[in-house]
């Protein structure tokens, strides 16, 4: 069982944490149980280096030392890969993978999973999908990143957990910051169970990354789990006046869902191409004074 993973990376490409893909395969499976841009797996989106601390994931060295403490059991083999999908070569990638050998694992042992999703921009007329899982297991966390396409607060959207195919969700939230355990908007913070380590404000082109761990309150499911969140907030007219505080917004949303389940798992949708994961077009950016 893997008990600790540490990475540090030196890469010349702007946005590199979104351009390197982390995958994990348990016991020779064909489809990875973990597939995420490496920065997003460690909570911080947008291809940004940003430090923070929590119980299962902690990032230090100004965002360059990434540590993961999620337990990751396996019976026969564990295969972990990092793929550089940037146009430039990675200068250095160092890692530790710490694991323990056990006498045996229970027959119903659940395996660790993490899957990345994005909508650039969020599709109008339906909720943003955080997770679509089939099988038996328990949901343990969400990392959520938003690139603001317009001014104002984006987080009036409620969260919904549909357990085992139910039509009405067993868990129905009251607002985005409420699900992430904060209140009255976001601010920069971190802690053992929740936080917003990246928060630039409420203006267009500002960036946010938040996390919420279900360590003491995992969401259990026997057959399936679907997790959604509304993308609603402030909307403005052509004159810049607020017309609503609760309308759909077309910001860029991305996320990582973390859960445990017995295998086999439902294969994940294909990841977007590396540079399609960046909200900022670094290749055509011009620096000026």
């Amino acid at each position: 069982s893997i008990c600790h993973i540490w990475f540090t990376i030196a890469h010349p490409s702007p946005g590199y944490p979104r351009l390197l893909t982390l995958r994990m395969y348990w016991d020779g499976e064909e489809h990875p149980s973990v597939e995420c841009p490496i920065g997003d797996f460690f909570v911080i989106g947008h291809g940004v280096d940003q430090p923070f601390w929590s119980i299962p994931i902690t990032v230090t060295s100004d965002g360059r030392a990434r540590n993961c403490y999620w337990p990751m059991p396996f019976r026969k083999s564990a295969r972990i890969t990092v793929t550089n999908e940037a146009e430039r070569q990675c200068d250095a990638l160092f890692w530790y993978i710490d694991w323990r050998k056990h006498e045996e694992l229970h027959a119903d042992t659940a395996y660790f999973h993490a899957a990345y999703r994005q909508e650039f921009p969020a599709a109008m007329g339906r909720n943003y999908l955080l997770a679509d899982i089939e099988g038996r297991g328990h949901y343990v966390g969400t990392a959520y990143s938003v690139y603001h396409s317009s001014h104002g607060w984006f987080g009036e959207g409620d969260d919904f957990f549909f357990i085992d195919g139910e039509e009405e969700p067993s868990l129905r939230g009251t607002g985005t910051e409420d699900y992430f355990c904060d209140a009255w908007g976001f601010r920069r913070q971190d802690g053992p169970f929740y936080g917003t380590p990246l928060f630039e404000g409420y203006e267009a082109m500002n960036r946010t990354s938040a996390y919420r761990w279900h360590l003491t309150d995992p969401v259990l499911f026997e057959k399936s789990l679907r997790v959604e969140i509304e993308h609603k907030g402030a909307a403005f007219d052509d004159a810049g006046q607020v017309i609503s505080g609760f309308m759909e917004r077309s910001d860029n949303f991305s996320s990582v869902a973390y859960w445990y389940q017995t295998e086999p798992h439902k294969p994940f949708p294909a990841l977007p191409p590396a540079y399609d994961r960046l909200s900022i077009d670094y290749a055509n950016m011009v620096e000026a004074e």
Side-chain angles (χ1 to χ4, degrees):
S1 176
I2 294 172
C3 50
H4 171 237
I5 297 174
W6 166 85
F7 280 111
T8 191
I9 303 164
H11 202 297
S13 295
Y16 79 90
R18 274 255 163 106
L19 306 177
L20 276 68
T21 301
L22 175 68
R23 294 181 175 91
M24 302 184 190
Y25 304 79
W26 312 128
D27 294 335
E29 62 187 353
E30 177 184 358
H31 302 288
S33 290
V34 172
E35 188 173 43
C36 309
I38 199 165
D40 294 81
F41 177 82
F42 290 91
V43 169
I44 306 298
H46 313 290
V48 173
D49 289 333
Q50 175 71 27
F52 75 97
W53 78 275
S54 73
I55 290 177
I57 293 179
T58 293
V59 178
T60 56
S61 184
D62 299 323
R64 300 169 299 180
R66 296 174 168 91
N67 291 269
C68 169
Y69 299 93
W70 289 112
M72 300 179 184
F74 59 93
R75 285 185 169 81
K76 296 180 179 180
S77 66
R79 181 169 178 254
I80 300 176
T81 68
V82 176
T83 305
N84 179 25
E85 298 172 62
E87 294 176 352
R88 304 173 70 178
Q89 181 175 322
C90 182
D91 290 337
L93 189 151
F94 301 94
W95 68 89
Y96 276 103
I97 308 293
D98 300 319
W99 64 284
R100 296 180 59 195
K101 186 176 181 178
H102 302 281
E103 292 296 326
E104 62 179 355
L105 291 177
H106 193 277
D108 291 334
T109 296
Y111 290 78
F112 178 78
H113 292 72
Y116 172 84
R117 290 179 177 272
Q118 72 174 47
E119 290 185 11
F120 290 2
M124 308 301 279
R126 59 176 172 81
N127 296 337
Y128 177 78
L129 181 65
L130 290 167
D132 184 16
I133 303 166
E134 293 181 1
R136 182 181 64 82
H138 52 286
Y139 190 83
V140 294
T142 307
Y144 190 57
S145 293
V146 182
Y147 179 84
H148 304 220
S149 63
S150 61
H151 300 305
W153 170 233
F154 68 86
E156 287 302 321
D158 301 341
D159 56 286
F160 305 94
F161 286 75
F162 298 87
I163 300 173
D164 296 337
E166 59 193 6
E167 294 185 5
E168 290 295 323
S170 291
L171 303 175
R172 183 192 299 265
T174 56
T176 302
E177 81 271 45
D178 304 347
Y179 169 68
F180 288 96
C181 302
D182 207 355
W184 307 107
F186 279 140
R187 66 277 307 144
R188 192 200 176 308
Q189 60 167 334
D190 53 7
F193 300 108
Y194 69 92
T196 317
L198 178 64
F199 180 72
E200 295 178 333
Y202 299 109
E203 303 300 317
M205 297 188 292
N206 284 166
R207 298 169 296 184
T208 297
S209 287
Y211 63 91
R212 203 280 205 206
W213 307 132
H214 294 262
L215 298 182
T216 61
D217 56 344
V219 180
L220 279 63
F221 52 94
E222 291 293 328
K223 298 178 181 178
S224 65
L225 178 67
R226 185 177 178 89
V227 187
E228 302 176 355
I229 192 166
E230 298 171 320
H231 46 98
K232 294 182 178 180
F236 302 84
D237 61 20
D238 293 338
Q241 300 298 311
V242 176
I243 57 176
S244 174
F246 191 68
M247 286 183 65
E248 281 195 324
R249 290 173 56 100
S250 56
D251 303 291
N252 288 2
F253 290 85
S254 54
S255 58
V256 176
Y258 306 79
W259 74 96
Y260 288 84
Q261 73 165 100
T262 54
E263 295 287 6
H265 68 272
K266 179 181 179 180
F268 305 155
L271 280 182
Y275 284 92
D276 289 350
R277 305 173 207 161
L278 296 175
S279 295
I280 298 174
D281 184 3
Y282 290 104
N284 295 306
M285 180 180 292
V286 176
E287 184 176 351
E289 292 185 6

